Structures are given as structure tokens and as C-alpha cells.
């Protein structure tokens, strides 16, 4: 078996009018500027570029008369240099920028003869073809209505050219109504023809893909999604997210930026990031899946109120957030949970879930152990009380407004969720808690806030007397509905609502009594997690100075 660092090619090539020693191994493409003088200069730096083969986008042989379109002059063949364009080839590759952004850079090498040029093009192409993790065929859903209605433009102008350059074939479907993508994945999509599914839109579009793909996988495996104790089958196809929505929290928390080009490049290089998914049931009936935030109380009330004000646009979330903060509703209920045992890490760790996370690797799925625990009816521990908010964060839930997120130390693929309980407190104390989402203070270091890392939990509101509180409310006579609405919108009467609603990744659940279970690594994304920093990456694609 060949070693990854064994040289495949080594030649003296030129970039513009400068000579470089260029080498190719199975893992690395390197070009180092040759010294201009035979005299040794110990303090004169020699520019050296290194690019992992896994992050090369494409290689092409330049044809006679072709011109480069890249504006960076050092990447062009110098005009009028007398070089034959048929003896040049261009390599496109990933280059890291600030704030976790990637861009497609390019460098053109000029060879002394055509045969050497073809050898280089063939050798690089052969290495790229050997990367089996790269997708060749993608099923793409575009939401033309999400966010600022720019999904189609973002895909056509920024993403489609990159896919074409990487020789990825695509089948594009523009969704026409809500749940179009979900329903198509459930029944009509020929998934065996594709290497992945890509959504162009926001978190709502991603949720459609997740629900359709998980449901289809369970049906193909003859499993019952309505059983909360069923061990679900992980989806084989990876999911790509091209951010084009109003929030794009999932993309931000898994890549580190909401940039369509960066996400497209992660898809092209074939990155894979497993993710946990929570299933939500009520009385042995499946409700929804959640991958980020499941919130009752404050976040449920904000979503419910904002849905009545969609005419306000995105500002409705700020308005409803302020309104719900001032109304200051609390809710009584019982939370039962099964703590995560035998795992590394706690919700109050200083370390964060990053690319190659050791916590996620250690706390991987343990099917036999987990299945045995789920067979018991005892959820471990029980807490009763009055709560302003009950949140379950399966990831940090970081976003541009809250760079740390609701649970900064939550992990993407450790088989747990962080259960955050905010007990009844004063408005001032609750404001302190909310403000800590935006600064560096420990948001759990408050006496009215507690957090538990769990694998399963149940919630029962105090006033829950039937299968669905909200459905009962809808069945009440018109007079009670009218006065109930007045009480909810004008709490000065002193009549606090008996129940809230659940905010499930931006969608309202119609039941309050729920059973939530974490399914470890149920889906995979075209991502690698947030990298620590560009400077820490050993092969950034930018010049290195070697003395």
C-alpha cells in the first residue's frame, strides 16, 4: 500500500515568470519558489504553498487562446511571455478566509512541454477520482420564498458554477408549496441515484429535508416512527445546506458562517459531519424531529405570538420577544429525564464542539446499552416547579445574534441534549439570563437556572387533563375563546395562561405533554464542524515562508 506522502510527481514549473519546485503526493500538492541566486541567503524567505489533495476542487488543461478570469494577477499566465497556453494547467482549490469562510482560489502552472502538462493533469485528476467521499450526483431542493426570496439567485450565481466546475451532476427541484420537499423525499424521490440531498433555503427548508429523509429511511427499514422506543436507522445520504434563509442557525452552528460559497465547497470536498436528532412523541404518536432547539415557555410564546404578526417581517421576533419578556409568564409542570451516563463532558465545559471533536468521538452510539435503558419506564430523575422556560439544545444554537448560543458546550454528535430549566424569577434576573447569551459570562451560573445533559426527557404540564391542551382550547365555546384570548394578550387581569406551546426548530407543536428521545448520529451533513482557526490549519493554501 502506497504511503500518502510518497511523491508521485516532482517538476520545475512556472507561475507567471517565477520558477517553482512543484510536487504531488497522494495527500498534498506543494509549490515552493526556487532561489533566484545560487548563493545561499539564510535570511531570505522562500515562499511555499501547500494544499491538501482532498481540498483541490478541480484541475484543467488550458487551451490555446484561453484567458484566466481570476482577478488575482499572481495566478495568471503573464501575457506576452511567449509561453504556449496548451502547456499550462490550472488547479482550483479551497482557500480559507476570515470568520470560517472558504473561497475557491486558483493557480496556473506553465510546463516546458505538453507531455509533462498532460502528466500533471492526469495525475491530479486520478487522485481526485480516488476520493470516494466526494459526491458525484446531488438532488437539490430550492425554496424560492424563504428569507429574502433569493434562493434561486444564490444557487444560480454562486453555487451552480462551483458544482459544474467540480463535475457534479445535479437534479434541481424548485419547491412550490410548504412540505413539498418533505413529501417528495418520502414517496417519489429515487434516492439510490444520488450521493446526497441539498437544500437551498433556511432552517425551515432544512427541517423539511430532515423529516422526509428520516421518514423514508425508517419506512425502507420497516421501522415504526410512531414508537418512541424504536431504535431508528441512520440515514445513509448526507444533507447539504446552502444558506438562503432569514436565520440559518443550523448552518452557522455546523460550519461557523452563513456563506453559500463556503457551504458549497464543503459539499464538493465531500465533508461528513454526523448529527444527533431528537424524536418527539405524544401518547405513542410521532410529532416531529428536532435538531437544534426545543423550547417551552418563553421561546414557545415568542414563536406563537410572532406567527400572528408575520406581516411585520423579521422584526416581529424582536417585537414578540420584548412583549413576552414584559408579560413574564411562568408555567407549572413536571420534567422527568434520563441523565447521560458514562459520557465525557458537561454542559458547563469551557471547551466547544469543534471539527474532530474528541467528546463526540468518545460518546458515540452504544446501541446495546442505550436500548436496555429505554426499555425501562423510569426516566431517572423528576423535577416539579414553576418555569419561565424549558429548553432542550441538541447543539450550541449559535447564530450571529448569539455567537455562543443557548448552550455553548453542547455537542453535535455525542448522543445527548442539554436540558435547560429556568425557574420562576424576577424580570431583572431573567434579563440577566438572556443577556448572557450575547456575552462571555457563564449563563448557567445563576441560582434559578439549572442544566442537565440527558438522553431522554418527558414533560407534563400541571393542567394537562387530556391528550392535547391546545386542541381542547380550540373545542371550547366561542365565548371562552374570546375571553381567554383577552387574558393572554392582556395579562394585567391577573389570569396567567395554564400552558405554553413548544417551539420545535421554529415550528409550533400542538401538544404540550411530550416524550423526547435523542437518536445518536441519525443524520450526516456535508460539513466538518467549526474549525478552530484558519491559522491553526496545517495546510491553509496560503503562502508559508520557509527560511
Amino acid at each position: 500500500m502506497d504511503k500518502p506522502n510518497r511523491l508521485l510527481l516532482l517538476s520545475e514549473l512556472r507561475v507567471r515568470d517565477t520558477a517553482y519546485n512543484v510536487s504531488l503526493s497522494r495527500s498534498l500538492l506543494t509549490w515552493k519558489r526556487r532561489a533566484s541566486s545560487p548563493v545561499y541567503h539564510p535570511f531570505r524567505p522562500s515562499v511555499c504553498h501547500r494544499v491538501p489533495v482532498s481540498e483541490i476542487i478541480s484541475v484543467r488543461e488550458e487551451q490555446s487562446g484561453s484567458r484566466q478570469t481570476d482577478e488575482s494577477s499572481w495566478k495568471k499566465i503573464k501575457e506576452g511571455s511567449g509561453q504556449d497556453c496548451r502547456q499550462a494547467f490550472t488547479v482550483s482549490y479551497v482557500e480559507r478566509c476570515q470568520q470560517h469562510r472558504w473561497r475557491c482560489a486558483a493557480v496556473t502552472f506553465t510546463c516546458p512541454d505538453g507531455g509533462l502538462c498532460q502528466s500533471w493533469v492526469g495525475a491530479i485528476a486520478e487522485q481526485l477520482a480516488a476520493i470516494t467521499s466526494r459526491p458525484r450526483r446531488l438532488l437539490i431542493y430550492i425554496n424560492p420564498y424563504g428569507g429574502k426570496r433569493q434562493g434561486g439567485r444564490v444557487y444560480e450565481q454562486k453555487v451552480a458554477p462551483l458544482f459544474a466546475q467540480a463535475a457534479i451532476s445535479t437534479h434541481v427541484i424548485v419547491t412550490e408549496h410548504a412540505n413539498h420537499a418533505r413529501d417528495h423525499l418520502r414517496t417519489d424521490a429515487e434516492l439510490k441515484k444520488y450521493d446526497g440531498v441539498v437544500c437551498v433555503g433556511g432552517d425551515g427548508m432544512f427541517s423539511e429535508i430532515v423529516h422526509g429523509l428520516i421518514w423514508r429511511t425508517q419506512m425502507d427499514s420497516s421501522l415504526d416512527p410512531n414508537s418512541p422506543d424504536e431504535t431508528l436507522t441512520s440515514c445513509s445520504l448526507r444533507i447539504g445546506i446552502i444558506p438562503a434563509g432569514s436565520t440559518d442557525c443550523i448552518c452557522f452552528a455546523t460550519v461557523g458562517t452563513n456563506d453559500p460559497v463556503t457551504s458549497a465547497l464543503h459539499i464538493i470536498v465531500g465533508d461528513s459531519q454526523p448529527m444527533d436528532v431528537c424524536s418527539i412523541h405524544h401518547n405513542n404518536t410521532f410529532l416531529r424531529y428536532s435538531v437544534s432547539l426545543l423550547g417551552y415557555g418563553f421561546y414557545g410564546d415568542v414563536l406563537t405570538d410572532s406567527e400572528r404578526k408575520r406581516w411585520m417581517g423579521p422584526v416581529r421576533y424582536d417585537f414578540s420577544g420584548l412583549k413576552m419578556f414584559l408579560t413574564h409568564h411562568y408555567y407549572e409542570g413536571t420534567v422527568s429525564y434520563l441523565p447521560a451516563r458514562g459520557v465525557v463532558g458537561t454542559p458547563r465545559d469551557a471547551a466547544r464542539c469543534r471539527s474532530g471533536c474528541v467528546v463526540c468521538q468518545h460518546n458515540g452510539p452504544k446501541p446495546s446499552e442505550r436500548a436496555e435503558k429505554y426499555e425501562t419506564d423510569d426516566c431517572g430523575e423528576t423535577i416539579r416547579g414553576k418555569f419561565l422556560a424549558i429548553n432542550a439544545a441538541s447543539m450550541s444554537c449559535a447564530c450571529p445574534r448569539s455567537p455562543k448560543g443557548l448552550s455553548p458546550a453542547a455537542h453535535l454528535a455525542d448522543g445527548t441534549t442539554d436540558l435547560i430549566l429556568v425557574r420562576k424569577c424576577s424580570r431583572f434576573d431573567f434579563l440577566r439570563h438572556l443577556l448572557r447569551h450575547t456575552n462571555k459570562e457563564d449563563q448557567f451560573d445563576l441560582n434559578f437556572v439549572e442544566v442537565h445533559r440527558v438522553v431522554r426527557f418527558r414533560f407534563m404540564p400541571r393542567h394537562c387533563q387530556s391528550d392535547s391542551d391546545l386542541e381542547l382550547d380550540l373545542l371550547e365555546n366561542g365565548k371562552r375563546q374570546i375571553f381567554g384570548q383577552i387574558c393572554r394578550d392582556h395579562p394585567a387581569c391577573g389570569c396567567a395562561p395554564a400552558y405554553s406551546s413548544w417551539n420545535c426548530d421554529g415550528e409550533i407543536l400542538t401538544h404540550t405533554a411530550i416524550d423526547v428521545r435523542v437518536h445518536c448520529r441519525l443524520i450526516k451533513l456535508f460539513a466538518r464542524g467549526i474549525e478552530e482557526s484558519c491559522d491553526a490549519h496545517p495546510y491553509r493554501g496560503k503562502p508559508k515562508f520557509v527560511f
Side-chain angles (χ1 to χ4, degrees):
M1 185 176 181
D2 291 335
K3 296 181 179 180
N5 294 326
R6 185 178 71 85
L7 284 181
L8 302 177
L9 279 176
L10 175 62
S11 306
E12 180 182 329
L13 307 179
R14 304 186 74 84
V15 177
R16 294 185 61 190
D17 250 355
T18 304
Y20 281 79
N21 288 327
V22 186
S23 63
L24 174 69
S25 69
R26 295 193 181 278
S27 62
L28 201 62
L29 173 67
T30 304
W31 60 103
K32 179 181 178 181
R33 189 169 61 193
R34 289 177 57 86
S36 58
S37 169
V39 180
Y40 175 63
H41 295 279
F43 300 107
R44 179 178 296 174
S46 176
V47 178
C48 182
H49 304 261
R50 297 186 180 94
V51 174
V53 171
S54 61
E55 294 183 4
I56 294 177
I57 305 304
S58 63
V59 59
R60 68 177 184 276
E61 185 175 357
E62 297 298 334
Q63 300 300 319
S64 178
S66 67
R67 294 179 59 88
Q68 302 297 309
T69 59
D70 198 302
E71 296 179 358
S72 182
S73 60
W74 75 273
K75 296 166 186 169
K76 299 180 181 180
I77 303 175
K78 187 176 180 180
E79 297 181 6
S81 63
Q83 299 289 348
D84 186 354
C85 288
R86 290 175 295 179
Q87 298 172 354
F89 65 94
T90 298
V91 176
S92 300
Y93 60 94
V94 170
E95 185 174 78
R96 286 163 174 77
C97 306
Q98 294 182 345
Q99 298 178 335
H100 305 289
R101 287 175 177 257
W102 287 8
R103 76 180 187 97
C104 183
V107 57
T108 298
F109 299 100
T110 304
C111 304
D113 60 76
L116 182 61
C117 179
Q118 292 178 1
S119 297
W120 272 95
V121 172
I124 295 176
E126 181 181 353
Q127 297 308 306
L128 297 183
I131 304 176
T132 57
S133 61
R134 291 197 172 192
R136 310 298 179 191
R137 300 170 299 278
L138 293 173
L139 175 60
I140 299 175
Y141 296 94
I142 299 177
N143 179 5
Y145 307 109
K148 298 180 181 179
R149 298 174 179 263
Q150 297 295 310
R153 184 189 65 82
V154 166
Y155 177 77
E156 291 297 333
Q157 296 183 6
K158 298 184 177 182
V159 179
L162 290 174
F163 285 169
Q165 183 177 345
I168 296 176
S169 63
T170 60
H171 177 60
V172 179
I173 297 176
V174 180
T175 59
E176 300 175 355
H177 52 81
N179 293 320
H180 182 175
R182 183 201 67 181
D183 295 341
H184 183 262
L185 282 170
R186 281 186 173 185
T187 56
D188 300 328
E190 298 181 53
L191 298 182
K192 293 183 179 179
K193 295 170 54 177
Y194 304 104
D195 302 313
V197 181
V198 176
C199 62
V200 183
D203 292 334
M205 187 64 174
F206 174 73
S207 180
E208 280 196 38
I209 301 299
V210 168
H211 280 79
L213 198 57
I214 294 178
W215 185 275
R216 175 71 171 272
T217 302
Q218 308 322 308
M219 292 298 100
D220 291 346
S221 301
S222 300
L223 298 177
D224 181 13
N226 285 314
S227 172
D229 297 315
E230 191 80 80
T231 300
L232 302 183
T233 301
S234 298
C235 301
S236 59
L237 291 182
R238 286 168 288 176
I239 303 173
I241 309 174
I242 303 297
S246 55
T247 55
D248 302 308
C249 289
I250 308 297
C251 186
F252 190 90
T254 55
V255 177
T257 183
N258 291 334
D259 175 49
V261 171
T262 302
S263 295
L265 293 176
H266 277 287
I267 295 171
I268 290 171
V269 302
D271 280 341
S272 183
Q273 171 63 53
M275 273 184 62
D276 300 333
V277 178
C278 290
S279 63
I280 306 165
H281 290 78
H282 172 81
N283 286 354
N284 292 323
T285 301
F286 169 75
L287 299 180
R288 285 189 71 84
Y289 295 111
S290 171
V291 297
S292 57
L293 172 67
L294 187 60
Y296 183 83
F298 178 74
Y299 289 104
D301 293 346
V302 169
L303 180 62
T304 301
D305 187 77
S306 67
E307 285 298 301
R308 307 188 190 108
K309 301 175 176 61
R310 297 188 69 89
W311 54 271
M312 295 177 65
V315 75
R316 70 185 185 272
Y317 297 112
D318 297 325
F319 180 85
S320 296
L322 176 60
K323 176 182 175 181
M324 292 302 104
F325 171 76
L326 294 175
T327 55
H328 202 59
H329 288 155
Y330 66 86
Y331 303 92
E332 296 186 62
T334 301
V335 179
S336 303
Y337 64 90
L338 183 64
R341 295 186 173 91
V343 298
V344 173
T346 70
R348 300 184 66 175
D349 287 342
R352 303 292 181 255
C353 186
R354 292 293 183 261
S355 181
C357 177
V358 294
V359 172
C360 291
Q361 293 174 8
H362 180 274
N363 300 346
K366 302 172 184 177
S368 59
E369 179 183 350
R370 297 279 169 88
E372 181 179 351
K373 291 181 179 179
Y374 287 134
E375 289 177 1
T376 67
D377 193 42
D378 182 14
C379 272
E381 301 184 25
T382 299
I383 299 175
R384 296 180 177 85
K386 301 175 181 179
F387 305 98
L388 287 172
I390 300 173
N391 302 317
S394 299
M395 60 174 62
S396 66
C397 300
C399 64
R401 283 193 173 188
S402 178
K404 291 200 313 176
L406 267 70
S407 185
H411 290 269
L412 295 173
D414 68 340
T416 71
T417 187
D418 288 349
L419 181 62
I420 307 167
L421 307 178
V422 184
R423 294 183 180 271
K424 180 184 176 184
C425 62
S426 66
R427 286 186 179 86
F428 175 75
D429 282 340
F430 190 52
L431 179 61
R432 290 170 58 206
H433 171 66
L434 294 177
L435 289 178
R436 291 193 177 189
H437 296 328
T438 63
N439 57 40
K440 295 183 179 180
E441 293 186 70
D442 183 359
Q443 52 198 285
F444 303 133
D445 188 23
L446 299 166
N447 58 12
F448 55 89
V449 179
E450 55 185 286
V451 59
H452 308 275
R453 186 151 286 178
V454 306
V455 296
R456 190 170 187 172
F457 75 92
R458 295 169 181 160
F459 175 73
M460 179 68 69
R462 178 185 175 187
H463 298 281
C464 183
Q465 300 294 331
S466 71
D467 288 348
S468 173
D469 302 297
L470 296 184
E471 289 177 355
L472 263 185
D473 184 55
L474 294 175
L475 293 174
E476 290 177 345
N477 59 64
K479 184 176 180 179
R480 287 195 61 183
Q481 283 187 336
I482 293 174
F483 284 103
Q485 185 63 47
I486 292 175
C487 290
R488 278 190 289 272
D489 289 344
H490 303 279
C493 66
C495 180
Y499 50 82
S500 176
S501 56
W502 285 96
N503 177 342
C504 177
D505 296 351
E507 299 292 335
I508 300 174
L509 293 184
T510 57
H511 299 76
T512 54
I514 60 173
D515 182 357
V516 180
R517 175 186 172 185
V518 183
H519 298 270
C520 189
R521 305 184 184 187
L522 191 60
I523 61 174
K524 291 179 291 186
L525 301 188
F526 282 109
R528 64 176 60 177
I530 300 175
E531 294 182 317
E532 286 290 350
S533 69
C534 291
D535 293 332
H537 196 275
Y539 311 122
R540 292 157 46 209
K542 292 187 177 182
K544 293 185 181 293
F545 297 96
V546 181
F547 291 90

